[in-house]
Amino acid sequence: MKKKTGYEYYTNRHSCFLLQYHIVLVTRYRHPVLTGDVKTAVYERINYVAESRGFNILELNGELDHI
């Protein structure tokens, strides 16, 4: 799989594609636990995993009961 120079999508012999995912993480019973230091720690961990695996996060935001 190769990314063409100047293009956003990937190509191989018979296809071209650009995969994007929308992921929603919800707390159990939607309890408001993602506040303050917990929210910061979760965001840092998500960014760390994304960088280590070569993912590009377009947007990251959240509310008290979900990200």
Side-chain angles (χ1 to χ4, degrees):
M1 169 172 48
K2 217 161 87 164
K3 193 171 191 181
K4 284 187 172 183
T5 306
Y7 292 96
E8 293 182 354
Y9 55 87
Y10 292 88
T11 62
N12 50 17
R13 291 182 68 180
H14 302 288
S15 64
C16 62
F17 54 92
L18 175 62
L19 296 176
Q20 294 183 345
Y21 296 95
H22 176 168
I23 300 171
V24 178
L25 305 172
V26 179
T27 60
R28 188 171 186 166
Y29 305 117
R30 296 186 72 95
H31 287 288
V33 297
L34 298 175
T35 60
D37 292 338
V38 174
K39 181 179 175 181
T40 303
V42 169
Y43 282 15
E44 287 174 359
R45 177 53 82 179
I46 290 171
N47 284 319
Y48 171 76
V49 170
E51 287 177 10
S52 66
R53 296 183 184 221
F55 299 152
N56 183 21
I57 295 178
L58 300 177
E59 183 178 348
L60 178 63
N61 57 29
E63 295 181 15
L64 299 177
D65 59 353
H66 69 277
I67 294 180

